[in-house]
Structures are given as structure tokens and as C-alpha cells.
PDB file of all heavy atoms in Angstrom:
ATOM      1  N   THR A   1     115.264  98.629  89.606  1.00 98.00           N
ATOM      2  CA  THR A   1     115.971  99.783  89.162  1.00 98.00           C
ATOM      3  C   THR A   1     115.132 100.464  88.125  1.00 98.00           C
ATOM      4  O   THR A   1     114.596  99.930  87.164  1.00 98.00           O
ATOM      5  CB  THR A   1     117.326  99.321  88.430  1.00 98.00           C
ATOM      6  OG1 THR A   1     118.138  98.716  89.437  1.00 98.00           O
ATOM      7  CG2 THR A   1     118.045 100.429  87.707  1.00 98.00           C
ATOM      8  N   VAL A   2     114.945 101.869  88.382  1.00 98.00           N
ATOM      9  CA  VAL A   2     114.137 102.673  87.563  1.00 98.00           C
ATOM     10  C   VAL A   2     115.074 103.593  86.678  1.00 98.00           C
ATOM     11  O   VAL A   2     115.743 104.505  87.228  1.00 98.00           O
ATOM     12  CB  VAL A   2     113.130 103.408  88.270  1.00 98.00           C
ATOM     13  CG1 VAL A   2     112.277 104.300  87.354  1.00 98.00           C
ATOM     14  CG2 VAL A   2     112.396 102.544  89.213  1.00 98.00           C
ATOM     15  N   LEU A   3     115.098 103.366  85.360  1.00 98.00           N
ATOM     16  CA  LEU A   3     115.844 104.281  84.543  1.00 98.00           C
ATOM     17  C   LEU A   3     114.949 105.428  84.261  1.00 98.00           C
ATOM     18  O   LEU A   3     113.805 105.239  83.673  1.00 98.00           O
ATOM     19  CB  LEU A   3     116.251 103.657  83.138  1.00 98.00           C
ATOM     20  CG  LEU A   3     117.036 102.281  83.406  1.00 98.00           C
ATOM     21  CD1 LEU A   3     117.395 101.704  81.979  1.00 98.00           C
ATOM     22  CD2 LEU A   3     118.245 102.428  84.263  1.00 98.00           C
ATOM     23  N   THR A   4     115.359 106.555  84.574  1.00 97.00           N
ATOM     24  CA  THR A   4     114.390 107.781  84.523  1.00 97.00           C
ATOM     25  C   THR A   4     115.095 109.065  84.189  1.00 97.00           C
ATOM     26  O   THR A   4     116.301 109.186  84.473  1.00 97.00           O
ATOM     27  CB  THR A   4     113.621 107.845  85.903  1.00 97.00           C
ATOM     28  OG1 THR A   4     112.688 108.983  85.894  1.00 97.00           O
ATOM     29  CG2 THR A   4     114.611 108.007  86.988  1.00 97.00           C
ATOM     30  N   ASP A   5     114.287 110.013  83.823  1.00 95.00           N
ATOM     31  CA  ASP A   5     114.825 111.365  83.539  1.00 95.00           C
ATOM     32  C   ASP A   5     114.542 112.221  84.827  1.00 95.00           C
ATOM     33  O   ASP A   5     114.867 113.474  84.866  1.00 95.00           O
ATOM     34  CB  ASP A   5     114.107 112.102  82.379  1.00 95.00           C
ATOM     35  CG  ASP A   5     112.576 111.956  82.403  1.00 95.00           C
ATOM     36  OD1 ASP A   5     112.049 111.418  83.425  1.00 95.00           O
ATOM     37  OD2 ASP A   5     111.951 112.455  81.439  1.00 95.00           O
ATOM     38  N   ASP A   6     114.039 111.692  85.864  1.00 95.00           N
ATOM     39  CA  ASP A   6     113.611 112.353  87.087  1.00 95.00           C
ATOM     40  C   ASP A   6     113.945 111.506  88.372  1.00 95.00           C
ATOM     41  O   ASP A   6     112.899 111.000  89.020  1.00 95.00           O
ATOM     42  CB  ASP A   6     112.252 112.862  87.086  1.00 95.00           C
ATOM     43  CG  ASP A   6     111.872 113.898  88.235  1.00 95.00           C
ATOM     44  OD1 ASP A   6     112.802 114.141  89.134  1.00 95.00           O
ATOM     45  OD2 ASP A   6     110.818 114.447  88.184  1.00 95.00           O
ATOM     46  N   PRO A   7     115.129 111.230  88.767  1.00 97.00           N
ATOM     47  CA  PRO A   7     115.536 110.315  89.804  1.00 97.00           C
ATOM     48  C   PRO A   7     114.887 110.791  91.092  1.00 97.00           C
ATOM     49  O   PRO A   7     114.381 110.065  91.967  1.00 97.00           O
ATOM     50  CB  PRO A   7     117.066 110.362  89.871  1.00 97.00           C
ATOM     51  CG  PRO A   7     117.425 110.711  88.544  1.00 97.00           C
ATOM     52  CD  PRO A   7     116.451 111.704  87.950  1.00 97.00           C
ATOM     53  N   ALA A   8     114.924 112.106  91.357  1.00 97.00           N
ATOM     54  CA  ALA A   8     114.370 112.622  92.635  1.00 97.00           C
ATOM     55  C   ALA A   8     112.847 112.371  92.787  1.00 97.00           C
ATOM     56  O   ALA A   8     112.503 112.036  93.963  1.00 97.00           O
ATOM     57  CB  ALA A   8     114.649 114.184  92.735  1.00 97.00           C
ATOM     58  N   ARG A   9     112.192 112.370  91.717  1.00 96.00           N
ATOM     59  CA  ARG A   9     110.734 112.028  91.768  1.00 96.00           C
ATOM     60  C   ARG A   9     110.568 110.496  92.217  1.00 96.00           C
ATOM     61  O   ARG A   9     109.697 110.259  93.104  1.00 96.00           O
ATOM     62  CB  ARG A   9     110.086 112.269  90.466  1.00 96.00           C
ATOM     63  CG  ARG A   9     108.667 111.842  90.395  1.00 96.00           C
ATOM     64  CD  ARG A   9     108.187 112.132  88.986  1.00 96.00           C
ATOM     65  NE  ARG A   9     106.744 111.737  88.775  1.00 96.00           N
ATOM     66  CZ  ARG A   9     106.077 111.917  87.675  1.00 96.00           C
ATOM     67  NH1 ARG A   9     106.606 112.482  86.674  1.00 96.00           N
ATOM     68  NH2 ARG A   9     104.823 111.426  87.537  1.00 96.00           N
ATOM     69  N   ILE A  10     111.281 109.737  91.643  1.00 97.00           N
ATOM     70  CA  ILE A  10     111.230 108.277  91.947  1.00 97.00           C
ATOM     71  C   ILE A  10     111.683 107.925  93.388  1.00 97.00           C
ATOM     72  O   ILE A  10     110.902 107.276  94.037  1.00 97.00           O
ATOM     73  CB  ILE A  10     112.194 107.416  91.048  1.00 97.00           C
ATOM     74  CG1 ILE A  10     111.871 107.636  89.466  1.00 97.00           C
ATOM     75  CG2 ILE A  10     112.136 105.922  91.332  1.00 97.00           C
ATOM     76  CD1 ILE A  10     110.338 107.329  89.158  1.00 97.00           C
ATOM     77  N   MET A  11     112.731 108.501  93.845  1.00 97.00           N
ATOM     78  CA  MET A  11     113.194 108.250  95.200  1.00 97.00           C
ATOM     79  C   MET A  11     112.306 108.907  96.238  1.00 97.00           C
ATOM     80  O   MET A  11     112.146 108.457  97.374  1.00 97.00           O
ATOM     81  CB  MET A  11     114.552 108.859  95.374  1.00 97.00           C
ATOM     82  CG  MET A  11     115.702 108.114  94.474  1.00 97.00           C
ATOM     83  SD  MET A  11     115.608 106.388  94.486  1.00 97.00           S
ATOM     84  CE  MET A  11     115.885 105.864  96.195  1.00 97.00           C
ATOM     85  N   GLY A  12     111.573 109.973  95.795  1.00 97.00           N
ATOM     86  CA  GLY A  12     110.557 110.645  96.668  1.00 97.00           C
ATOM     87  C   GLY A  12     109.358 109.694  96.976  1.00 97.00           C
ATOM     88  O   GLY A  12     108.685 110.014  97.915  1.00 97.00           O
ATOM     89  N   ILE A  13     109.102 108.656  96.164  1.00 97.00           N
ATOM     90  CA  ILE A  13     107.996 107.844  96.364  1.00 97.00           C
ATOM     91  C   ILE A  13     108.272 106.992  97.694  1.00 97.00           C
ATOM     92  O   ILE A  13     107.305 106.625  98.376  1.00 97.00           O
ATOM     93  CB  ILE A  13     107.680 106.976  95.220  1.00 97.00           C
ATOM     94  CG1 ILE A  13     107.457 107.814  93.894  1.00 97.00           C
ATOM     95  CG2 ILE A  13     106.557 106.003  95.457  1.00 97.00           C
ATOM     96  CD1 ILE A  13     107.332 107.007  92.691  1.00 97.00           C
ATOM     97  N   GLY A  14     109.447 106.722  97.933  1.00 97.00           N
ATOM     98  CA  GLY A  14     109.863 105.954  99.141  1.00 97.00           C
ATOM     99  C   GLY A  14     109.581 104.469  99.082  1.00 97.00           C
ATOM    100  O   GLY A  14     109.274 103.833 100.123  1.00 97.00           O
ATOM    101  N   LEU A  15     109.851 103.795  97.976  1.00 98.00           N
ATOM    102  CA  LEU A  15     109.729 102.464  97.890  1.00 98.00           C
ATOM    103  C   LEU A  15     110.920 101.664  98.385  1.00 98.00           C
ATOM    104  O   LEU A  15     112.088 102.092  98.083  1.00 98.00           O
ATOM    105  CB  LEU A  15     109.437 102.007  96.446  1.00 98.00           C
ATOM    106  CG  LEU A  15     108.106 102.599  95.785  1.00 98.00           C
ATOM    107  CD1 LEU A  15     108.021 102.261  94.352  1.00 98.00           C
ATOM    108  CD2 LEU A  15     106.880 102.187  96.577  1.00 98.00           C
ATOM    109  N   ARG A  16     110.819 100.545  98.897  1.00 96.00           N
ATOM    110  CA  ARG A  16     111.889  99.732  99.428  1.00 96.00           C
ATOM    111  C   ARG A  16     112.581  99.008  98.322  1.00 96.00           C
ATOM    112  O   ARG A  16     112.009  98.838  97.277  1.00 96.00           O
ATOM    113  CB  ARG A  16     111.420  98.675 100.479  1.00 96.00           C
ATOM    114  CG  ARG A  16     110.595  97.646  99.828  1.00 96.00           C
ATOM    115  CD  ARG A  16     110.372  96.488 100.937  1.00 96.00           C
ATOM    116  NE  ARG A  16     109.741  95.301 100.374  1.00 96.00           N
ATOM    117  CZ  ARG A  16     110.380  94.358  99.756  1.00 96.00           C
ATOM    118  NH1 ARG A  16     111.699  94.446  99.632  1.00 96.00           N
ATOM    119  NH2 ARG A  16     109.754  93.290  99.210  1.00 96.00           N
ATOM    120  N   ASP A  17     113.798  98.794  98.395  1.00 97.00           N
ATOM    121  CA  ASP A  17     114.652  98.017  97.321  1.00 97.00           C
ATOM    122  C   ASP A  17     114.417  98.561  95.984  1.00 97.00           C
ATOM    123  O   ASP A  17     114.169  97.868  95.066  1.00 97.00           O
ATOM    124  CB  ASP A  17     114.245  96.499  97.409  1.00 97.00           C
ATOM    125  CG  ASP A  17     114.566  95.870  98.767  1.00 97.00           C
ATOM    126  OD1 ASP A  17     115.678  96.284  99.328  1.00 97.00           O
ATOM    127  OD2 ASP A  17     113.838  94.964  99.170  1.00 97.00           O
ATOM    128  N   THR A  18     114.388  99.857  95.972  1.00 98.00           N
ATOM    129  CA  THR A  18     114.249 100.581  94.682  1.00 98.00           C
ATOM    130  C   THR A  18     115.256 101.591  94.505  1.00 98.00           C
ATOM    131  O   THR A  18     115.584 102.442  95.442  1.00 98.00           O
ATOM    132  CB  THR A  18     112.861 101.213  94.571  1.00 98.00           C
ATOM    133  OG1 THR A  18     111.830 100.060  94.647  1.00 98.00           O
ATOM    134  CG2 THR A  18     112.559 101.869  93.205  1.00 98.00           C
ATOM    135  N   ARG A  19     115.901 101.771  93.400  1.00 98.00           N
ATOM    136  CA  ARG A  19     116.848 102.810  93.145  1.00 98.00           C
ATOM    137  C   ARG A  19     116.504 103.454  91.716  1.00 98.00           C
ATOM    138  O   ARG A  19     115.723 102.896  90.814  1.00 98.00           O
ATOM    139  CB  ARG A  19     118.329 102.136  92.963  1.00 98.00           C
ATOM    140  CG  ARG A  19     118.522 101.290  91.836  1.00 98.00           C
ATOM    141  CD  ARG A  19     119.922 100.854  91.700  1.00 98.00           C
ATOM    142  NE  ARG A  19     120.207  99.938  90.668  1.00 98.00           N
ATOM    143  CZ  ARG A  19     121.343  99.703  90.065  1.00 98.00           C
ATOM    144  NH1 ARG A  19     122.420 100.406  90.429  1.00 98.00           N
ATOM    145  NH2 ARG A  19     121.449  98.770  89.104  1.00 98.00           N
ATOM    146  N   ALA A  20     116.990 104.635  91.519  1.00 98.00           N
ATOM    147  CA  ALA A  20     116.753 105.495  90.323  1.00 98.00           C
ATOM    148  C   ALA A  20     118.151 105.694  89.641  1.00 98.00           C
ATOM    149  O   ALA A  20     118.993 106.178  90.349  1.00 98.00           O
ATOM    150  CB  ALA A  20     115.978 106.706  90.603  1.00 98.00           C
ATOM    151  N   VAL A  21     118.104 105.537  88.302  1.00 98.00           N
ATOM    152  CA  VAL A  21     119.299 105.802  87.560  1.00 98.00           C
ATOM    153  C   VAL A  21     118.975 106.770  86.558  1.00 98.00           C
ATOM    154  O   VAL A  21     118.035 106.610  85.726  1.00 98.00           O
ATOM    155  CB  VAL A  21     119.845 104.441  86.929  1.00 98.00           C
ATOM    156  CG1 VAL A  21     121.091 104.806  86.020  1.00 98.00           C
ATOM    157  CG2 VAL A  21     120.313 103.485  87.993  1.00 98.00           C
ATOM    158  N   LEU A  22     119.815 107.878  86.437  1.00 98.00           N
ATOM    159  CA  LEU A  22     119.480 108.959  85.487  1.00 98.00           C
ATOM    160  C   LEU A  22     119.760 108.530  84.010  1.00 98.00           C
ATOM    161  O   LEU A  22     120.828 107.971  83.773  1.00 98.00           O
ATOM    162  CB  LEU A  22     120.324 110.137  85.919  1.00 98.00           C
ATOM    163  CG  LEU A  22     120.110 111.433  84.972  1.00 98.00           C
ATOM    164  CD1 LEU A  22     118.765 111.990  85.017  1.00 98.00           C
ATOM    165  CD2 LEU A  22     121.168 112.531  85.391  1.00 98.00           C
ATOM    166  N   LEU A  23     118.802 108.797  83.176  1.00 97.00           N
ATOM    167  CA  LEU A  23     118.946 108.537  81.752  1.00 97.00           C
ATOM    168  C   LEU A  23     119.860 109.650  81.149  1.00 97.00           C
ATOM    169  O   LEU A  23     120.015 110.681  81.767  1.00 97.00           O
ATOM    170  CB  LEU A  23     117.618 108.589  81.049  1.00 97.00           C
ATOM    171  CG  LEU A  23     116.710 107.446  81.320  1.00 97.00           C
ATOM    172  CD1 LEU A  23     115.218 107.801  80.957  1.00 97.00           C
ATOM    173  CD2 LEU A  23     117.192 106.156  80.586  1.00 97.00           C
ATOM    174  N   PRO A  24     120.520 109.364  80.021  1.00 96.00           N
ATOM    175  CA  PRO A  24     121.417 110.293  79.511  1.00 96.00           C
ATOM    176  C   PRO A  24     120.625 111.662  79.131  1.00 96.00           C
ATOM    177  O   PRO A  24     119.712 111.711  78.473  1.00 96.00           O
ATOM    178  CB  PRO A  24     121.890 109.626  78.178  1.00 96.00           C
ATOM    179  CG  PRO A  24     121.697 108.139  78.356  1.00 96.00           C
ATOM    180  CD  PRO A  24     120.538 108.018  79.312  1.00 96.00           C
ATOM    181  N   ASP A  25     121.292 112.843  79.557  1.00 90.00           N
ATOM    182  CA  ASP A  25     120.726 114.059  79.461  1.00 90.00           C
ATOM    183  C   ASP A  25     120.487 114.466  77.972  1.00 90.00           C
ATOM    184  O   ASP A  25     119.659 115.158  77.659  1.00 90.00           O
ATOM    185  CB  ASP A  25     121.478 115.161  80.127  1.00 90.00           C
ATOM    186  CG  ASP A  25     121.425 115.035  81.621  1.00 90.00           C
ATOM    187  OD1 ASP A  25     120.420 114.550  82.178  1.00 90.00           O
ATOM    188  OD2 ASP A  25     122.431 115.559  82.294  1.00 90.00           O
ATOM    189  N   ASP A  26     121.423 113.923  77.090  1.00 91.00           N
ATOM    190  CA  ASP A  26     121.358 114.387  75.657  1.00 91.00           C
ATOM    191  C   ASP A  26     120.334 113.620  74.827  1.00 91.00           C
ATOM    192  O   ASP A  26     120.216 113.976  73.677  1.00 91.00           O
ATOM    193  CB  ASP A  26     122.759 114.541  75.094  1.00 91.00           C
ATOM    194  CG  ASP A  26     123.389 113.167  75.037  1.00 91.00           C
ATOM    195  OD1 ASP A  26     122.996 112.272  75.817  1.00 91.00           O
ATOM    196  OD2 ASP A  26     124.267 112.966  74.288  1.00 91.00           O
ATOM    197  N   TRP A  27     119.795 112.635  75.322  1.00 91.00           N
ATOM    198  CA  TRP A  27     118.832 111.806  74.464  1.00 91.00           C
ATOM    199  C   TRP A  27     117.549 112.435  74.256  1.00 91.00           C
ATOM    200  O   TRP A  27     117.100 112.606  73.159  1.00 91.00           O
ATOM    201  CB  TRP A  27     118.664 110.411  75.004  1.00 91.00           C
ATOM    202  CG  TRP A  27     119.889 109.499  74.892  1.00 91.00           C
ATOM    203  CD1 TRP A  27     121.187 109.885  74.533  1.00 91.00           C
ATOM    204  CD2 TRP A  27     119.957 108.135  74.971  1.00 91.00           C
ATOM    205  NE1 TRP A  27     121.955 108.919  74.524  1.00 91.00           N
ATOM    206  CE2 TRP A  27     121.340 107.680  74.683  1.00 91.00           C
ATOM    207  CE3 TRP A  27     118.988 107.093  75.303  1.00 91.00           C
ATOM    208  CZ2 TRP A  27     121.717 106.356  74.730  1.00 91.00           C
ATOM    209  CZ3 TRP A  27     119.378 105.761  75.409  1.00 91.00           C
ATOM    210  CH2 TRP A  27     120.764 105.500  74.995  1.00 91.00           C
ATOM    211  N   ARG A  28     116.816 112.836  75.287  1.00 87.00           N
ATOM    212  CA  ARG A  28     115.608 113.663  75.215  1.00 87.00           C
ATOM    213  C   ARG A  28     114.596 113.177  74.208  1.00 87.00           C
ATOM    214  O   ARG A  28     114.065 113.895  73.408  1.00 87.00           O
ATOM    215  CB  ARG A  28     115.952 115.094  74.943  1.00 87.00           C
ATOM    216  CG  ARG A  28     116.892 115.745  75.922  1.00 87.00           C
ATOM    217  CD  ARG A  28     117.052 117.285  75.713  1.00 87.00           C
ATOM    218  NE  ARG A  28     117.949 117.836  76.693  1.00 87.00           N
ATOM    219  CZ  ARG A  28     117.728 118.072  77.942  1.00 87.00           C
ATOM    220  NH1 ARG A  28     116.509 117.809  78.468  1.00 87.00           N
ATOM    221  NH2 ARG A  28     118.693 118.675  78.756  1.00 87.00           N
ATOM    222  N   PHE A  29     114.257 111.865  74.432  1.00 90.00           N
ATOM    223  CA  PHE A  29     113.210 111.300  73.594  1.00 90.00           C
ATOM    224  C   PHE A  29     111.815 111.682  74.098  1.00 90.00           C
ATOM    225  O   PHE A  29     111.647 111.870  75.312  1.00 90.00           O
ATOM    226  CB  PHE A  29     113.322 109.719  73.546  1.00 90.00           C
ATOM    227  CG  PHE A  29     114.645 109.274  73.100  1.00 90.00           C
ATOM    228  CD1 PHE A  29     115.312 108.275  73.729  1.00 90.00           C
ATOM    229  CD2 PHE A  29     115.153 109.774  71.949  1.00 90.00           C
ATOM    230  CE1 PHE A  29     116.435 107.683  73.231  1.00 90.00           C
ATOM    231  CE2 PHE A  29     116.380 109.352  71.398  1.00 90.00           C
ATOM    232  CZ  PHE A  29     117.037 108.328  72.087  1.00 90.00           C
ATOM    233  N   THR A  30     110.798 111.795  73.222  1.00 87.00           N
ATOM    234  CA  THR A  30     109.559 112.119  73.703  1.00 87.00           C
ATOM    235  C   THR A  30     108.430 111.126  72.915  1.00 87.00           C
ATOM    236  O   THR A  30     108.822 110.417  71.993  1.00 87.00           O
ATOM    237  CB  THR A  30     109.128 113.579  73.224  1.00 87.00           C
ATOM    238  OG1 THR A  30     109.255 113.734  71.777  1.00 87.00           O
ATOM    239  CG2 THR A  30     109.992 114.575  74.001  1.00 87.00           C
ATOM    240  N   GLY A  31     107.253 111.036  73.500  1.00 86.00           N
ATOM    241  CA  GLY A  31     106.258 110.292  72.858  1.00 86.00           C
ATOM    242  C   GLY A  31     106.643 108.857  72.741  1.00 86.00           C
ATOM    243  O   GLY A  31     107.267 108.201  73.555  1.00 86.00           O
ATOM    244  N   ARG A  32     106.352 108.327  71.600  1.00 83.00           N
ATOM    245  CA  ARG A  32     106.631 106.902  71.430  1.00 83.00           C
ATOM    246  C   ARG A  32     108.146 106.602  71.280  1.00 83.00           C
ATOM    247  O   ARG A  32     108.561 105.493  71.503  1.00 83.00           O
ATOM    248  CB  ARG A  32     105.972 106.369  70.011  1.00 83.00           C
ATOM    249  CG  ARG A  32     104.389 106.543  70.148  1.00 83.00           C
ATOM    250  CD  ARG A  32     103.696 105.923  68.943  1.00 83.00           C
ATOM    251  NE  ARG A  32     103.982 104.477  68.831  1.00 83.00           N
ATOM    252  CZ  ARG A  32     103.390 103.829  67.721  1.00 83.00           C
ATOM    253  NH1 ARG A  32     102.783 104.237  66.839  1.00 83.00           N
ATOM    254  NH2 ARG A  32     103.653 102.508  67.746  1.00 83.00           N
TER     255      ARG A  32
END
């Protein structure tokens, strides 16, 4: 399970037994 800000990018890789879960839109953390 990949927690990500870009699920379409993850699913586009085409890996088996892999899913993408969207991170909260309002968190918007950057850097460290």
C-alpha cells in the first residue's frame, strides 16, 4: 500500500499486488 499525493502515478507503474491511497489534500507537507 502506497500512501501518496499522486495515486495515478503509482498505479501507472503497473506493479502487481500494489494499491495507492490518497493522502489528505489539506496536509500538504514538503521537504523533511
Side-chain angles (χ1 to χ4, degrees):
T1 296
V2 184
L3 307 184
T4 179
D5 52 2
D6 192 351
R9 176 179 177 180
I10 301 303
M11 299 312 296
I13 300 174
L15 299 174
R16 70 172 188 84
D17 296 326
T18 299
R19 64 171 178 163
V21 175
L22 180 65
L23 290 163
D25 286 335
D26 61 337
W27 285 18
R28 300 190 182 281
F29 301 134
T30 59
R32 297 184 68 180

